[in-house]
Every structure is written in structure tokens, then in C-alpha cells.
Amino acid sequence: MIRELAGLLHRRLIAAFMYSIEGFGAAWKSEEAIKVEITLLPVLVISAAYFGENGVERALMVASVVAVLIVELLNTAIEKTVDRISTESNPLSKKVKDIGSAAVLGAIINVAIVWTFVLI
């Protein structure tokens, strides 16, 4: 029974991983911002490893950058969902998309604050 559960969990984890890869691929194909953020990610991670004086600083710097990517992915999902419901101009749809965009801006401001504190 334990082996069956382990096999089920293993299959579920593989399926979830594959769905996530498909999600990254879909975001990459449809969103310029995702392309920029994924392209910058390795540069910023290496920079964090170089400029952070200890593990906590490095972790904060990397986490802040990864948070931007996560928020951008969620914003993209929100935008696609709104567009799926209706492509007609609607004040509520605009408001929802603007709020998602504001969340991305908040994550970017967080990067600026974290990196500024660490670097000075």
C-alpha cells in the first residue's frame, strides 16, 4: 500500500511539474515581460551571489527577483482569464488588469528596496 501511494505521489509530482513547464512555455510565447524577467534572472542571481555578503542577503536578493517573476506569471494568468471571459472593453476588466499590473510594480519596487538596503 505504501508503494502504491509513493507511486501515485511520484506520478502526480511529475504531472504537476510538466504542467508548470507548459505554463512557463505559454507565458514565454505570449508575454514580453516574462521573456525579459526570465532572461534577467540568471544575471541577477549571479549578481546577488557576488554582492550579497552572507547567505541571508543573497537569499533576500534572489527571493525578491523570483517574486517579480511569480507575480508576473499570476498577472498574466489574470489577464488571460479576463480576456477569455470577454475581449470587449469593460471598466471592471480594465480595473482587474490594472490591479494585476500594480502588483507587478509592487514586486519590482520590492526588488529596488531590498537591493538598495543590501548594497549600501
Side-chain angles (χ1 to χ4, degrees):
M1 173 148 182
I2 291 177
R3 284 187 182 187
E4 290 173 13
L5 287 174
L8 179 63
L9 178 62
H10 184 256
R11 285 190 302 278
R12 175 65 189 119
L13 289 174
I14 290 172
F17 180 77
M18 295 309 296
Y19 295 142
S20 297
I21 296 300
E22 288 177 22
F24 270 115
W28 177 271
K29 289 177 185 173
S30 68
E31 294 296 319
E32 249 345 274
I34 297 287
K35 290 178 184 177
V36 170
E37 291 158 4
I38 290 175
T39 302
L40 285 175
L41 187 66
V43 173
L44 294 172
V45 169
I46 291 168
S47 297
Y50 180 77
F51 290 113
E53 291 186 15
N54 57 52
V56 172
E57 288 184 353
R58 290 182 202 107
L60 286 170
M61 294 169 83
V62 170
S64 68
V65 172
V66 171
V68 171
L69 180 59
I70 292 168
V71 174
E72 187 70 60
L73 287 166
L74 292 171
N75 181 47
T76 298
I78 290 167
E79 288 179 349
K80 299 296 181 194
T81 301
V82 169
D83 290 345
R84 169 68 172 92
I85 293 168
S86 175
T87 56
E88 291 179 19
S89 182
N90 180 295
L92 183 56
S93 295
K94 180 186 181 326
K95 189 178 291 188
V96 168
K97 288 182 173 189
D98 289 349
I99 291 168
S101 181
V104 174
L105 177 61
I108 291 169
I109 290 169
N110 182 59
V111 168
I113 292 169
V114 168
W115 282 62
T116 298
F117 280 140
V118 169
L119 296 176
I120 59 174

